[in-house]
Amino acid sequence: MKEVRKIWEQTANDKLAEHNLNFIDSRSYADQGKDIEPQLKMGSVATKLERDAYETAKAAAKEKGELFNGIVPVTIRGEINLMITERNRLVRTRELADLRESQLFIVPAAPTPKYKPSQDSNDELEQAESVVERIKQARIQRQIAKEAADALEKQRIAQQQRDMADKKERERLLAQEEARQAKREQHRVQIAAQEADFKAQHGHISHQELSNQHRLLKNIDQESDFGQRLKTLLHLDQQMSEWQHYRSEPGTTDHQKQLTGREQHKIGSHIISHSKQLLEHIKSISDLSTRQAHTKTLERVFDDIKDRQQSALSPDQQGQMRTVSAEINGYSRDINRSRGMSLSF
């Protein structure tokens, strides 16, 4: 900045020299050794207030035909600058008086001084110095107050920014929670719809009748106790197959597949339990030929069910199915041996 001011000083003084005008000095008053107080910066607002008041007073004086000699400043800054101007005037007057007195001392033969003696007393100058000192103190206090106000403003802005950040974070968390809640609600609706479809499918499969023309029922008395029990076993097998078909459909969801798996596990347990009961029922039949025929039918039916439903059963149920199959096959061999022995006898 000082370099720029120096360049401007040189440029301006070149032009001032062309018109025999006084030069300017880019240095501060302090660097020039002048005891002159710089004025306060007025700013656009204060300057406009002073200018408007000046123009208004000037127009009023002109309208009244009075002589206009200026006005008293209407702003605090204007009043302070007026005091500084007066103080600087007194300083310049004193300096000029001191200079002229020293010139008179150096040249005592001068008949008469070529200047008007100063009418300003030292008391006036001291009073002006006191006013300027008060102005300086007031400026210092204003600067301190301004810095304190700036610090408070920075704290307020920082707190406001923290509050805004906290608010945004709360809004973000709230939006996330609302999104999660909406997603949960959407999922709940989807699950409810899937379970309703599964329930309808469950009703359809549960109430579907077993065909009397089933190939394994052709040679069985369906009205007999064994025939009714066998139909129940075949009906469970049919339900297991229907659920397996439903499970493999493209539109079946994962949740519906889980529900289907539970239903198949339940039916698998019923098949195992019912097969054991049917075997015990066969063992209780007194007629050997009937027992042999029913055992052969149960063996064929159970092996068919085991082979087709193996993949739909749990590992534990698969083990139970193999155990029941072994029991049925073992009893079939035993009864065949018994019949052979009876015929031989």
Side-chain angles (χ1 to χ4, degrees):
M1 181 60 71
K2 288 183 179 181
E3 292 297 327
V4 173
R5 290 169 62 89
K6 187 67 177 176
I7 293 172
W8 169 246
E9 174 191 344
Q10 295 173 356
T11 303
N13 286 339
D14 289 342
K15 290 297 181 182
L16 292 173
E18 295 177 2
H19 301 279
N20 296 322
L21 297 175
N22 294 330
F23 290 172
I24 64 172
D25 195 328
S26 63
R27 296 176 297 169
S28 65
Y29 291 145
D31 291 341
Q32 294 179 41
K34 295 181 180 180
D35 185 17
I36 298 177
E37 182 73 18
Q39 292 182 331
L40 299 178
K41 182 178 179 180
M42 292 292 291
S44 60
V45 176
T47 300
K48 186 176 187 307
L49 291 174
E50 294 288 354
R51 184 183 297 113
D52 292 346
Y54 182 87
E55 295 297 335
T56 301
K58 183 177 180 181
K62 182 177 180 181
E63 184 178 354
K64 295 178 181 179
E66 298 176 353
L67 180 63
F68 181 67
N69 295 320
I71 63 170
V72 177
V74 296
T75 63
I76 298 298
R77 291 178 181 270
E79 293 178 1
I80 294 174
N81 284 341
L82 182 61
M83 295 178 185
I84 293 175
T85 300
E86 179 60 20
R87 183 262 182 194
N88 291 339
R89 186 187 67 80
L90 294 173
V91 170
R92 290 193 182 94
T93 301
R94 185 181 63 179
E95 290 177 349
L96 183 59
D98 292 343
L99 176 61
R100 288 170 178 170
E101 287 175 2
S102 65
Q103 288 178 348
L104 287 176
F105 179 77
I106 295 172
V107 189
T112 56
K114 297 182 180 181
Y115 67 94
K116 182 178 180 181
S118 174
Q119 301 297 322
D120 300 306
S121 65
N122 288 332
D123 291 339
E124 292 176 331
L125 188 56
E126 289 176 359
Q127 183 179 3
E129 293 284 1
S130 176
V131 170
V132 172
E133 183 61 28
R134 288 199 302 272
I135 293 173
K136 288 182 178 180
Q137 293 301 322
R139 292 171 68 181
I140 293 173
Q141 294 300 322
R142 283 199 304 274
Q143 184 63 27
I144 293 173
K146 183 178 181 300
E147 291 175 355
D150 290 344
L152 289 175
E153 180 65 11
K154 289 180 180 179
Q155 293 178 2
R156 185 190 68 80
I157 293 174
Q159 184 62 43
Q160 185 180 28
Q161 291 175 344
R162 288 193 294 269
D163 293 342
M164 291 179 64
D166 292 342
K167 181 180 179 182
K168 289 181 178 179
E169 180 64 16
R170 289 194 299 271
E171 291 176 349
R172 186 184 68 82
L173 294 176
L174 180 60
Q176 285 184 347
E177 180 59 29
E178 290 176 350
R180 285 194 292 267
Q181 184 66 25
K183 189 174 181 179
R184 285 194 294 267
E185 179 62 20
Q186 182 182 11
H187 181 68
R188 187 192 66 78
V189 172
Q190 291 175 348
I191 292 297
Q194 293 172 16
E195 290 181 350
D197 179 76
F198 177 83
K199 186 176 181 180
Q201 185 69 21
H202 186 278
H204 171 72
I205 293 176
S206 300
H207 293 89
Q208 188 174 6
E209 296 292 338
L210 180 66
S211 173
N212 291 328
Q213 302 301 320
H214 196 287
R215 61 184 179 84
L216 296 175
L217 294 176
K218 291 180 179 180
N219 301 321
I220 301 297
D221 182 6
Q222 299 182 23
E223 300 301 325
S224 65
D225 191 12
F226 176 76
Q228 293 295 320
R229 291 173 181 269
L230 188 63
K231 286 179 65 175
T232 301
L233 182 60
L234 293 174
H235 192 217
L236 290 171
D237 173 55
Q238 176 179 287
Q239 291 180 359
M240 181 70 83
S241 298
E242 290 292 333
W243 281 120
Q244 190 67 9
H245 176 71
Y246 175 74
R247 185 189 187 95
S248 62
E249 290 180 354
T252 304
T253 65
D254 291 339
H255 180 65
Q256 291 171 334
K257 289 179 180 179
Q258 291 179 354
L259 297 176
T260 300
R262 296 174 189 173
E263 194 64 26
Q264 288 178 311
H265 186 274
K266 186 189 303 182
I267 295 174
S269 298
H270 289 333
I271 290 175
I272 294 170
S273 175
H274 196 71
S275 298
K276 289 180 179 181
Q277 294 175 7
L278 189 53
L279 179 61
E280 294 301 319
H281 170 73
I282 293 172
K283 290 179 180 180
S284 66
I285 298 174
S286 58
D287 182 67
L288 182 60
S289 297
T290 304
R291 270 189 290 152
Q292 186 181 26
H294 288 352
T295 302
K296 187 174 183 62
T297 301
L298 176 60
E299 184 179 19
R300 185 169 64 253
V301 169
F302 191 82
D303 286 344
D304 182 64
I305 293 175
K306 179 171 66 68
D307 292 340
R308 284 188 297 104
Q309 309 300 348
Q310 189 81 1
S311 60
L313 300 174
S314 66
D316 180 63
Q317 288 178 330
Q318 291 176 10
Q320 294 180 44
M321 290 283 282
R322 287 192 293 271
T323 300
V324 174
S325 178
E327 291 178 1
I328 296 173
N329 294 334
Y331 183 72
S332 179
R333 288 193 297 270
D334 292 343
I335 200 171
N336 287 331
R337 283 197 299 270
S338 298
R339 181 175 177 80
M341 291 174 63
S342 298
L343 292 174
S344 177
F345 177 77

